Amino acid sequence: MRDTERYIAFDVETPNHLNHRMSAIGISVIENGAVADSFYSLVDPETDFDAFNTWLTGIDADAVRGAPNFAALWPRIEPLLNSGILVAHNAPFDMGVLRRCLQAYDISWKRSARYLCTVQMGRRLLPDRSHKLDALCSYYGIALDHHHAGSDSRACAEILLRYLESGADAAPFIKTYALNSPEAR
């Protein structure tokens, strides 16, 4: 593998259809061609849970009772998120939730962030495959507890590593996401 960038694979779970808060976050750090660090936390979204989201993630109001809200968690996760190129499976979703959480808690971070989407990368590299997270994990033999943010972020990191190990160049897939967009205000 020739890529020497530091990648920060992350995944969020949300409490409801608004996708403006997170109920869990998982972060997996890729450094020197391997997952070097990981972090997981439930997050008190300080909002209502939809039955569908609870069914999908197993997270409800009782599960997050006593968990930090996003603002309280931010000092812990910001150094990780700021330490490399952000990566997510279906990144526009996760990046949007992150942006809306920053806005909801009036947290100034940075105007934009470099990111990479493993779905978009996979569509180019494996055009004849399903690009759903569970399908790619099955294809690559990656363990997955789907819709658990810690497991999903690790799976995303492992998928990116498989792409890079196959000789793929991540550079053409790296984009910039505007974090200060007023869209979600």
Side-chain angles (χ1 to χ4, degrees):
M1 185 170 85
R2 63 183 190 267
D3 200 297
T4 58
E5 292 280 2
R6 181 174 161 107
Y7 297 99
I8 313 304
F10 79 106
D11 182 80
V12 301
E13 302 301 338
T14 60
N16 58 48
H17 69 283
L18 298 174
N19 299 324
H20 68 310
R21 300 286 177 95
M22 53 181 79
S23 54
I25 186 168
I27 301 171
S28 297
V29 178
I30 299 172
E31 196 169 49
N32 299 319
V35 176
D37 194 11
S38 62
F39 174 82
Y40 170 78
S41 181
L42 289 170
V43 183
D44 182 349
E46 300 181 308
T47 192
D48 297 328
F49 283 80
D50 286 349
F52 175 78
N53 294 62
T54 295
W55 169 81
L56 187 67
T57 67
I59 302 170
D60 61 14
D62 289 336
V64 299
R65 189 170 288 115
N69 68 18
F70 182 79
L73 190 60
W74 183 245
R76 172 66 174 96
I77 63 175
E78 187 274 338
L80 288 171
L81 295 175
N82 206 33
S83 69
I85 296 169
L86 298 178
V87 180
H89 200 75
N90 189 22
F93 173 81
D94 297 274
M95 295 296 293
V97 174
L98 175 62
R99 183 188 72 232
R100 289 187 290 278
C101 284
L102 290 166
Q103 290 172 344
Y105 288 96
D106 200 26
I107 296 171
S108 294
W109 185 27
K110 52 188 174 181
R111 295 179 60 81
S112 62
R114 293 185 336 147
Y115 79 98
L116 182 151
C117 178
T118 53
V119 171
Q120 293 170 1
M121 195 172 180
R123 285 182 180 146
R124 181 79 51 86
L125 300 174
L126 301 169
D128 298 327
R129 293 231 157 258
S130 168
H131 299 99
K132 292 182 178 182
L133 187 64
D134 56 345
L136 286 172
C137 285
S138 178
Y139 174 71
Y140 283 120
I142 298 168
L144 177 67
D145 179 6
H146 204 13
H147 301 296
H148 180 284
S151 180
D152 288 359
S153 73
R154 175 67 185 234
C156 176
E158 294 290 345
I159 289 167
L160 178 59
L161 286 170
R162 298 302 194 288
Y163 293 163
L164 296 175
E165 289 165 358
S166 74
D169 180 9
F173 300 97
I174 297 171
K175 298 180 180 180
T176 301
Y177 192 93
L179 292 167
N180 61 349
S181 167
E183 172 203 312
R185 285 194 190 258

